[in-house]
Structure formats: structure tokens, C-alpha cells
Amino acid sequence: MTLSRSQAKKWVDRVLTQASFGDVRVRITDERRGHLRFAKGQPTTEGDVERLEIHVTAAKDGRHATVTGNRTDDAGLAALVEQAEALAELAPPDPELMPPLGKTTHATVKATDGAAARLGAAERAKAVAAAITTAKDKGVDVAGFLSHAETSTVVADRAGLFAFHQDTRVSMTTTCRTSDGTGSARAGYASFAAGGLDGAALAEDAALRALKSKNPKKVDPGRYTVVLMPDAVADLLSFFSMALGQRAADEGRSWFAKPGGGSKVGESLFDPRVTIFSDPKNAKYPSSPFARDGRPQPRVEWVKGGRLLSLTAERYWADKQGIPSRPRPSSWFMEGTSASLDDLIADVDKGILVSRFWYNRMLARRSLTATGLTRDGTFLIEGGRIATPIGNLRYNDSPLTLLTKLQALGTPERAAFAGDVVVVPPLVVRDFNFESTSDAI
Amino acid sequence: MRTRDGDTIARGRRIEKDAWAAPDARRHFAYHRDAMPTSRRQFLAASGLLTSAGLLVPGPAAWAMPRGAKAPAPGTPPKSAASGLSGSPVAAHAALARVAVEEATKAKAAYADARIVQWSTEGVDVRDERVSGVSSSTDTGIGVRVLVDGAWGFAATDDLSEAAVRAATKRALEAAKIGAKLRADVGAPPIELAPAPAAKGTWVAPFEVDPRSISARDKAELILEASQAALRVQGVKHTRAGVESIVEDKLLVTSDGTEVHQLFMRMSPSLTATAVHPRLGFASRDHEAAPMLAGWEYVTSLDLVGAAPEIGHEAVQKLHAPAVKAGRRRLILAPSNLWLTIHESIGHPTELDRAMGFEADFAGTSFIGPDAAGKLRLGSKKVTIVADRTQPGGLATTGWDDEGVTAQRWTMVDEGLFVGWQTTRDQAAWIGDKASLGTAYGQKYSGVAFQRMPNVSLQPGSEGYTTEDLINATDDGVYVTGRGSWSIDHQRYNFQFSGQTFWEVKHGRIVGPLRDLAYQANTVDFWTSCDMVGGAGTYRLGGSLGDGKGQPGQSNSVSHGCPPARFMANIIDTGASK
């Protein structure tokens, strides 16, 4: 078990009583995690790790410094606070230092699952055995990764802040490749709970799709209508969410900057069906109700009906601009419809179905253009049906294309390969730019 | 939203810090600029006239690097620094590592190792004219790895009490037994390790000034001054700068009788200038200083403050530069750009575990088949590439790897022919080798050791060409320096790289700067098109602290040396692409 709320309180007190500065802030994370990898039909490496991290920030007269350590005896804790205070004395004053947060209120979010917290080597072996056996039955190669963790996080300061959150996380990914090396697909599970973990089901899903992706045909690069599955949508939207900073926009170094000054907040920039929000309290997909610095994570609408409503803002900048301070959120949701993936495909006369993207990187910040490649199942759609598997393609395009050249939206799902909670619908998008082909399977 | 992307040089903060040393082109033009008053220089830079002179000054390679780093490697690690290990907290815990290994051996482990690591960092971050962060961190713990009945078990803890270490060892042993049963159930053969002779000793990566001896105030003042110097350039509206020093103090005890204690210091300086224009938008320029295995002397030798105005000017210049003519063209890559292309297109596909399918769920596999050594031609005769863990300054340079195997140097590509993999002790037998090539590494104490990239470097040519020779020999092409956007597929065929500065080459001369571009190619086509490489005098190290691989993801530090070289590739105008 990682730290409980009352244990966390004791630890915080043990740290803060060592402080001589009036402004000392502390963040502690206590984590236990385990994993098992498998590939070529066999388990490979595994491990269990327990790890505590104590971050102490000391501030005085505008000077501040942060020291991180993991010694937990009284002498170790005292040394940590002493080092932070000594280092702060050496730091040049920071005119943007904000006062400590003090007492705040944030939502209480239930994000732990007893079964997830109890996972160990035996349970891991069972799920992995099921995946390996299923893949063998289907005649495909299998590789994957099962990982689980329990984490307690507490953020506190001498001015009265005390924010505590505990969560569990379980994830499993399974890649199946056909024995001739011409087909590949990946399936994944990600949740705070262990209840839905099913190694056999994941392997079966990946195996069937891998078999369907065998012997891909080469298609020419160019502009296509694309059907993007939720993981592909999440990959591209990450560039959008990373660019959502108010300060960069106000300072003219972001796509969200308005030519001539100011930001694009308030403008109707996207298709009216686009609504993107964050919500730590979602019961099925819970996430942390506070940020690393202890600021609460409320439910925030970033885009509503195609209109940009808010950007993230650090405390100093929010104060200066007279706007609400908004941390980078711990979850992303995009609204959709009740249409299934098959419904979406049925309405496409000619297009490409993308299962996921790979090695995505920002290419041009000014136009918010990114690059990356399709992977694990790319298909040509003709006449509303999947006509044939096709070779992988490199895209050079923007998440803005998704939000402006939107043709249809499907039912939101959690993107299983994203690290954070990202719940997005599959999308149909026009004029998506593929720049070149890749021989990778 | 953060998505997980593996087998990559990680993106994010760490990346911004991995910029690198001054490009050749910058030195070429510094000559003119120093002779001109600032306003005139800026006018010329902005209008592109400055570079139209096309004069190249083949100045001395005065580029800061640790001693010995500019030459391809010697084959034995550099002499250990004399000091650095006294007072090591890791040495004080050596008995715990022995307890863990003894415990595992008693429980019939065929092999066991215990790795105690203290990972310490010190950092200063500057934004515009303020120090936004001063930090230091220490992370200490032990990882115990055991091989029982042909299956691995691993457990790690940051609790360095004997009880906790015994409990972790027990957990690793139990997990290995469960793993052995699972292997038997699914019909997998037992894992076998190639032998390694017992090693005993200490090795400290060479350094002159311990970064821990420099006060946070002095570090902050240096970085602040560099940031301010870039900010003073007209048109530059924002800057970011920083320096991080990382000290890895590591003790490895294995059941082979190995006990080695090593210390590594790595420096990572960075400086970025962003120009903002009301009509033209914004553009950023990163300093190209590489992270390096060295002490604080490396940071001071870079003269960040002196280089800062040029970084600023080139940020502004990017806003005004014309677009590139897209299409298949000659491409001259500076070492500050080429290192990453080597990393992605040669370094990763020659990892044997990838080629065998063991990374298929995440990083991917390889276009190089497991039986390709000695058969696959992947480059022209100009292309000879070595793997090396003995290279001075190399981020992956070591005395011994994390399985107690001595650091080595070997050829991977011999005049275009692929000849050598990267291996660890559990992989050697897969290709009929009797011993590991020593590429096992686990991040901190908490990462399971597995196959990680050594320094992988392109060897200089015997003709002794300079960068200017490559440019003079090129009728129509582009010259690229520094690291920009980078992306490659999961079998390492199709890649696309950008850079920091771009220059039009016409009739053997640089005729002016270009706006953002990227080059795209297939790995084998690209290396086969290589027809000129620079000589030993042009060889430079680039590198990264964020070489990602594995599940859960681990970061490796690795350098790549190379001379400038010339290729053919598809050039894309990324300013126009949308």
C-alpha cells in the first residue's frame, strides 16, 4: 500500500516542521509498480519497483529553489529542507514568484481499485499466458506489455495547502504480427481498474486485425479523406493540447496568437461540432483533481461548439492578465455522437482508415503542423467498405485539420495507448495530407 | 495530452535542452559580422544580404569538446579520473549489494546482480531575463536482478535498509520462479547468459571541474548572461536557457564475482532565441551545443555568452529567409544534424533485440533481418560506422556495462556492408557469439538492464575533406545544421528530419539562408547516396540524454560522432506544407 491520507499528513508535517523559511512547499509521490513484458510467444523481462520522491521548494524574498530526494529518516528530511533553503539563498530573485497557494478546495476523486492494487507477478503471468496462448491458436506472433501501479500524491505548503490523491493504473498492450511479416495490429487496455483486463480478448482482437492487414497494397501519397480511430485522433490532438498556452499566445509565439496581438480566445475557429473539455471527476475515467503545484483541476471547457473558450495559464500570467489561472489538465474529452466506426466507414466513398500513428513530432510550430506515420493496420476504403489493407504512410498535417475539415464523428472511447486519460471519438476528416510511403509493417 | 511514443529521442523539456554546438556556417559568417556595427549586421542578416557574399572562412575547428573527443575512438576507455569517488554514498552501501547477490545465489539463481545507483542532478533554468528555476535532486536505490530456472526476476527499492533489500531480493526470486513456470507452460526455452569474466575495479569518466563544486549562483549568472545577450538582439523577443548536470554514481555486484564502481558526469547546456514579428509570425533558433560526458569545464568552454548574439541573429534571419525549392536535391549535413540521423537510421535498427522481434509491441522491429550480418549492403563505400563505448566525451562511454562486461569498440558497417549487431549477455547466443559486446544498461537503479545503444559513429574519410570542400563540390543543394523535427517509422525505413539552420548551395558556394525545410528518405537509399564525407579534422560528437526504448520506457544517454557528409534526399518546404 502506498501512503494513505493520514500517513501523507504525517509526512508533510515531518517535512514542514523542519522549515525555517515562511514559504516552504512540499510534494511527495509514493509509488509501487510492476510489469511483465512478452514477445515472440514468451515472457521476457519483469519487475516490481517501489519508489518515493519528496520535492521541497523553499522561497524567500523572491528567491526560490527546489530540492528532490528520497531519504526518509528524520536526518534525511531535515537535510532536504536545509538544502532547499540554502539553494534558494543562492538563486537570483525571480520577479514572477507567486505566494504560496495556501488552503484550497479541490474535488475528491475515487481513482483506486482494490484488485488493481493487489496485482502481482502471479496475476501478471496469468494474463500474459492467456494472450500468448490465444495468439498461438490464431497462428500469429505476439508481443506485449502488462503494467500496473498504485500512486499516492500529496502537495502541501506552510500556508495551509493540503491536497491528497491516490490512484491505481492498469494497462496492457498486445501487438500481433502475422508469421509472414506482412500484417500487424495492436490492441490495448487502459483503466484505473483491473476488472476489464483480459489478455485473451486483447490478443484475439489484435490477431484478427493483423490477419486482415496482411499483404498490403501500396497507394500513392496525397490528400485523402481519412477515418481516424480514437488512438490516431489522440495522437494528433496531443499537438493541439500541448500548444494551448495562454502566455505563448499573448506573446505572439503560438498558433493561438492573434495577428497584431492578443490571443484567439473567444473566436469560432473550428467546426461547430467540436467540443473539448477536461473533467477529473468522470467516474469511468477519473484523473487527478489537482495539478503538480496543488492548483485544483476543475471541469474546464476548452472548445465549445467550435469556439475557443480558454487556454492554460500559469498563476503569474493569469494574475497579470486578469484571467483565471488554469493548469494543464489531467484529462481530455472530446464529444462525439452515437455513430459506430462501421457507420463512419459506410459514409466514406473513398478514403483511408488509420488505426494509429507512430513517431509523431511537431514539424512547424507556426502552422501547428506535425509529422508521423501510420502503423498497425492501414486500410483503403472504397464505396463505404474496407477494400484492402495498404502500406503505411507518412503524414505532414495539423491537428487543426481534424477540427476544421471534419466530416463525421463517432462514439468517444478511451485511447488505450495514450499515457493520460484521453477520451475521443473516431473522426472522418477531409483532405488529410500524406507525404510519402513507408515499407514498414 | 501526453501520448506514449517509444523508441525515440523523447520530446519535451529534455529535448529542448539537447541543443548543440555552433554550426560551421555560423563560424563562416561570424567573421563578417564581427567587423560590422550591430544595426548594420542586423539589417544585412534580415535582408539576407550578409550571406550573399558566399565567402567561406575555413577557420580552425575551435569548437569546444572534451580532450580526445574530436578523434574517432581508441578502443579502450579513457584513463579514469583520479578523484570523484571519495565519499561516495554508493560505496558505503556495497555490503547491501553483496547481501542481495548472496541471497539469490543461495536460492539457486544461476545468475544475479545488484546495482546501487545514486542519480544526482543540478539544474538552472532561465526564461528571458529571469531565473525561473534552480533545482537539485538525488535519487538513490538498489535494483536486484536474478535468473532462476531460465527466467528473469527483478525488484527495486529506494529503501536501503537490509530488510528492504532482502525483501526485494525475495520478490525478484519469487517472480522469476513464476516466470519460469510460465515459460514452461508456453513452451519457451530457458534464457541463457554468455559468460563474462569477473571484473573488479573503479572507473571515473574524465572531468576537470566537478559541476557540484560550482555554486548555483555562479551557474545561474552564466546562464542568465547568455540569455540576456541573445535577448539584446533586435527582433528577439524571448529566450530560454539552462544547464543541467547529471552525476551517475553506480556500483554493480554480480554472482560472477564482479564488483565495479563507476562515476559519470554529463553536462547538458541549452539556449534558444525566439524572434517574433507582427506580420511574419515567430521563429526559434537553438544553440547546437551537444550534451557531453564531461565536467563543468565543458560548459565554460562553449562560451555561451559569446555565441548568444549569433543565436539571436539567426532566429531573426529565419523569419526573413526565402522558402526552399522542394524536390530531390543534394544535401550536405553538418555533424550537428547528421548525428541524429545516424542514431535513428543505423543505431536503432542494429539493436539485435529489435531485429529478433523483442521490441515489436512498442519501439518496433528492424528492416535488418537477424541473418543479415555480412550480407546486407546498406550504404556506399564511404560509409563505415563503428560502435564504441570507449570514446572520450561519449555519453555511453563506460568502463563496464551493467552486466559487468568490459567496454568495447567494434565495426557495425564496413564500407557500406552491415557486419555487426549490438548485443548483451542473453543475446550473444542468438547470433552464435560466445560473448556479449557489452551494451546492457538500466536507467538508475529502478530500470531492468537490457540492450541499449552504445556510441555509434560514422568514420571520417581518408581524403581529409573540410565542410568547405563538400560545399565547393556541390553545384545545387542545401546545407543543414543542428537538430530540428525528427521522425522515423518502426522498422526504420522512412525518415524525415529537419534542422536548425538551412543554407542554399549554388555552384559551390553558400548563397543565402533558407526558411524551415525537412529532408525525407529511405534509410538504405540515403546511405547508398553518400558520396563525400569530411576528414578527421571535421569529426564532431552530437548526442542525447533522451534515447528512449523499452516498456516501461527507459532513457539512455548516447553520443554519435561524424564528419559532415553529402547525400541525395527529397527536400520538403515545411513552411508551405500543411
Side-chain angles (χ1 to χ4, degrees):
Chain A
M1 282 292 284
T2 53
L3 294 179
S4 67
R5 186 185 177 87
S6 59
Q7 284 168 324
K9 183 82 180 74
K10 277 185 201 148
W11 279 77
V12 163
D13 290 344
R14 280 179 69 204
V15 174
L16 293 181
T17 51
Q18 303 288 344
S20 64
F21 284 15
D23 181 0
V24 172
R25 315 169 189 189
V26 62
R27 181 162 54 86
I28 302 173
T29 57
D30 182 20
E31 183 177 72
R32 296 170 67 95
R33 57 184 160 85
H35 75 270
L36 174 60
R37 295 186 83 183
F38 54 105
K40 290 181 74 78
Q42 54 181 280
T44 57
T45 52
E46 70 88 51
D48 284 286
V49 176
E50 46 188 35
R51 203 162 163 264
L52 186 85
E53 241 179 31
I54 309 166
H55 307 261
V56 177
T57 299
K60 191 162 89 175
D61 304 331
R63 303 170 191 273
H64 60 97
T66 300
V67 173
T68 305
N70 61 357
R71 278 185 62 197
T72 56
D73 53 301
D74 286 339
L77 291 179
L80 203 60
V81 177
E82 201 177 297
Q83 280 167 27
E85 293 181 348
L87 199 58
E89 302 264 19
L90 292 174
D94 175 4
E96 298 188 8
L97 176 69
M98 296 296 285
L101 213 51
K103 197 168 165 53
T104 59
T105 48
H106 60 82
T108 303
V109 169
K110 183 183 172 342
T112 54
D113 171 60
R118 285 188 296 274
L119 289 175
E123 294 77 18
R124 296 194 294 255
K126 206 174 138 197
V128 167
I132 292 174
T133 310
T134 303
K136 222 177 236 179
D137 289 348
K138 301 279 173 208
V140 296
D141 292 336
V142 65
F145 177 59
L146 195 173
S147 160
H148 54 92
E150 180 187 44
T151 310
S152 296
T153 305
V154 61
V155 187
D157 64 28
R158 289 195 83 182
L161 171 68
F162 182 83
F164 175 81
H165 179 65
Q166 194 171 33
D167 66 32
T168 51
R169 276 161 291 147
V170 184
S171 67
M172 185 168 179
T173 50
T174 301
T175 296
C176 288
R177 295 175 63 81
T178 57
S179 48
D180 64 356
T182 72
S184 179
R186 192 184 200 209
Y189 173 79
S191 174
F192 76 102
L197 181 67
D198 183 341
L202 286 178
E204 175 153 351
D205 178 16
L208 292 177
R209 287 191 286 121
L211 290 166
K212 279 185 196 159
S213 74
K214 263 176 81 164
N215 300 319
K217 277 195 191 141
K218 213 160 197 166
V219 300
D220 291 332
R223 289 189 182 271
Y224 287 87
T225 293
V226 287
V227 179
L228 305 176
M229 286 175 62
D231 269 293
V233 172
D235 285 336
L236 268 174
L237 272 188
S238 71
F239 293 99
F240 176 81
S241 59
M242 279 190 290
L244 276 179
Q246 180 79 47
R247 184 170 189 165
D250 291 341
E251 291 179 344
R253 46 190 181 84
S254 145
W255 182 84
F256 291 100
K258 197 152 74 177
S263 78
K264 292 176 178 167
V265 170
E267 293 185 21
S268 288
L269 300 168
F270 311 117
D271 185 286
R273 289 168 292 176
V274 174
T275 291
I276 297 173
F277 62 97
S278 300
D279 182 12
K281 287 186 76 170
N282 185 294
K284 196 172 172 195
Y285 309 110
S287 58
S288 178
F290 55 86
R292 284 169 66 88
D293 64 357
R295 275 183 291 169
Q297 292 277 20
R299 188 184 197 282
V300 177
E301 284 178 322
W302 305 98
V303 177
K304 190 175 170 111
R307 193 161 157 252
L308 180 68
L309 293 188
S310 6
L311 296 172
T312 61
E314 56 194 272
R315 290 175 65 205
Y316 168 82
W317 197 254
D319 232 41
K320 191 177 148 114
Q321 303 292 80
I323 54 171
S325 137
R326 299 224 183 280
R328 281 192 56 75
S330 48
S331 63
W332 295 94
F333 294 81
M334 180 172 177
E335 282 182 2
T337 67
S338 58
S340 69
L341 183 66
D342 286 343
D343 294 340
L344 299 185
I345 292 170
D347 279 344
V348 174
D349 192 41
K350 189 178 178 204
I352 289 174
L353 171 65
V354 177
S355 298
R356 60 180 292 228
F357 290 118
W358 164 251
Y359 218 137
N360 303 290
R361 287 293 181 275
M362 182 60 79
L363 183 58
R365 274 176 212 284
R366 230 183 303 180
S367 55
L368 210 61
T369 302
T371 190
L373 298 117
T374 62
R375 180 175 174 179
D376 291 323
T378 310
F379 300 89
L380 188 69
I381 301 167
E382 281 175 338
R385 295 180 54 228
I386 289 179
T388 177
I390 58 170
N392 285 311
L393 295 150
R394 170 177 297 287
Y395 75 87
N396 282 347
D397 209 320
S398 169
L400 303 168
T401 301
L402 267 59
L403 307 179
T404 54
K405 295 186 179 174
L406 193 51
Q407 203 156 297
L409 304 88
T411 312
E413 273 178 44
R414 177 164 182 178
F417 311 140
D420 297 336
V421 169
V422 183
V423 183
V424 290
L427 299 177
V428 184
V429 175
R430 295 184 302 275
D431 297 332
F432 191 76
N433 180 47
F434 290 112
E435 194 83 37
S436 57
T437 60
S438 157
D439 293 329
I441 301 285
Chain B
M1 70 194 77
R2 177 175 55 87
T3 53
R4 286 178 183 165
D5 222 20
D7 184 76
T8 67
I9 293 284
R11 66 188 182 196
R13 184 168 167 274
R14 167 61 42 82
I15 291 326
E16 287 164 17
K17 307 194 91 181
D18 286 357
W20 25 349
D24 289 355
R26 187 178 76 69
R27 278 202 311 280
H28 301 156
F29 303 120
Y31 165 93
H32 301 272
R33 293 179 183 185
D34 289 343
M36 275 182 252
T38 304
S39 58
R40 170 142 176 87
R41 283 199 327 219
Q42 281 164 354
F43 167 73
L44 292 176
S47 62
L49 289 174
L50 184 64
T51 51
S52 64
L55 288 175
L56 294 171
V57 184
W63 189 354
M65 275 202 171
R67 196 169 297 145
K70 285 185 206 159
T76 51
K79 193 170 174 296
S80 173
S83 64
L85 289 179
S86 63
S88 161
V90 159
H93 293 297
L96 284 176
R98 292 181 207 124
V99 163
V101 170
E102 276 163 26
E103 194 83 348
T105 311
K106 259 189 254 167
K108 304 272 185 287
Y111 170 85
D113 61 39
R115 202 172 72 239
I116 301 184
V117 178
Q118 177 167 292
W119 185 278
S120 312
T121 67
E122 290 182 354
V124 170
D125 288 299
V126 168
R127 199 195 136 120
D128 298 341
E129 295 197 86
R130 71 182 185 100
V131 176
S132 56
V134 172
S135 60
S136 89
S137 74
T138 310
D139 191 5
T140 315
I142 183 169
V144 182
R145 188 171 67 139
V146 300
L147 185 66
V148 181
D149 298 335
W152 285 120
F154 177 84
T157 178
D158 56 5
D159 183 346
L160 289 172
S161 66
E162 190 176 323
V165 172
R166 284 185 189 277
T169 308
K170 199 174 155 210
R171 206 155 49 238
L173 287 164
E174 283 166 3
K177 282 173 197 156
I178 290 168
K181 184 178 177 301
L182 174 55
R183 291 187 80 84
D185 288 350
V186 298
I191 290 163
E192 284 179 37
L193 291 195
K200 288 204 187 282
T202 60
W203 185 77
V204 179
F207 71 95
E208 286 164 32
V209 181
D210 190 330
R212 297 170 293 187
S213 71
I214 307 296
S215 83
R217 176 172 292 154
D218 290 348
K219 287 177 182 168
E221 280 171 2
L222 171 72
I223 299 303
L224 192 57
E225 201 184 330
S227 182
Q228 287 167 332
L231 207 51
R232 276 195 292 272
V233 173
Q234 199 182 348
V236 172
K237 290 290 196 296
H238 297 285
T239 50
R240 292 189 82 107
V243 65
E244 188 175 31
S245 57
I246 297 147
V247 179
E248 181 184 11
D249 183 350
K250 172 161 70 183
L251 176 85
L252 176 75
V253 174
T254 80
S255 56
D256 300 319
T258 285
E259 187 164 328
V260 290
H261 185 189
Q262 305 186 81
L263 188 88
F264 310 81
M265 290 180 188
R266 300 185 178 101
M267 300 296 129
S268 180
S270 65
L271 171 65
T272 300
T274 300
V276 182
H277 187 279
R279 187 170 43 82
L280 300 171
F282 62 97
S284 291
R285 162 71 160 121
D286 297 340
H287 192 293
E288 297 177 5
M292 202 68 72
L293 186 76
W296 185 255
E297 71 283 353
Y298 170 63
V299 177
T300 49
S301 72
L302 288 169
D303 187 19
L304 290 170
V305 178
E310 204 61 34
I311 296 296
H313 285 303
E314 285 179 353
V316 177
Q317 179 177 277
K318 277 190 176 184
L319 284 175
H320 299 272
V324 70
K325 183 185 78 183
R328 197 166 156 75
R329 297 179 70 184
R330 288 247 182 247
L331 178 66
I332 300 165
L333 300 179
S336 59
N337 179 274
L338 182 54
W339 73 267
L340 182 54
T341 308
I342 295 170
H343 176 89
E344 300 287 16
S345 70
I346 303 288
H348 280 305
T350 53
E351 294 167 332
L352 184 57
D353 48 5
R354 282 189 71 125
M356 296 284 290
F358 283 96
E359 297 292 327
D361 182 51
F362 190 46
T365 57
S366 176
F367 74 88
I368 306 178
D371 58 353
K375 297 176 198 159
L376 175 70
R377 185 154 287 286
L378 56 69
S380 73
K381 292 260 183 205
K382 304 284 179 193
V383 179
T384 290
I385 292 174
V386 300
D388 198 314
R389 298 201 72 182
T390 71
Q391 191 151 7
L395 291 166
T397 294
T398 191
W400 300 270
D401 81 346
D402 284 356
E403 294 181 322
V405 178
T406 306
Q408 295 165 59
R409 175 181 203 262
W410 66 100
T411 302
M412 295 173 68
V413 179
D414 186 9
E415 296 190 348
L417 186 69
F418 168 65
V419 293
W421 296 102
Q422 307 164 41
T423 63
T424 55
R425 290 177 67 179
D426 60 358
Q427 297 174 349
W430 298 348
I431 49 167
D433 280 3
K434 297 268 185 290
S436 160
L437 286 161
T439 67
Y441 175 76
Q443 189 183 3
K444 299 185 177 179
Y445 57 89
S446 51
V448 187
F450 71 126
Q451 197 279 310
R452 298 314 309 267
M453 203 185 295
N455 306 307
V456 170
S457 302
L458 174 67
Q459 300 306 287
S462 55
E463 301 91 342
Y465 292 140
T466 62
T467 303
E468 292 70 32
D469 291 334
L470 268 59
I471 291 167
N472 292 161
T474 302
D475 192 49
D476 174 70
V478 296
Y479 173 53
V480 179
T481 81
R483 177 171 85 176
S485 177
W486 62 101
S487 171
I488 188 165
D489 71 46
H490 57 285
Q491 287 186 317
R492 308 277 145 173
Y493 287 104
N494 172 312
F495 61 67
Q496 177 177 297
F497 292 94
S498 185
Q500 281 298 316
T501 73
F502 314 96
W503 309 87
E504 180 85 26
V505 177
K506 283 277 181 215
H507 312 304
R509 283 164 181 255
I510 285 184
V511 296
L514 293 166
R515 202 169 64 190
D516 289 352
L517 61 86
Y519 58 94
Q520 227 178 51
N522 170 290
T523 295
V524 173
D525 293 347
F526 176 81
W527 288 104
T528 303
S529 78
C530 179
D531 65 347
M532 286 183 90
V533 295
T538 62
Y539 183 90
R540 299 288 183 275
L541 283 184
S544 169
L545 304 174
D547 165 30
K549 185 179 174 186
Q551 296 165 300
Q554 292 190 40
S555 246
N556 175 46
S557 297
V558 61
S559 292
H560 301 281
C562 54
R566 194 172 77 159
F567 306 88
M568 285 292 283
N570 189 28
I571 310 293
I572 293 167
D573 174 9
T574 56
S577 84
K578 224 318 295 278

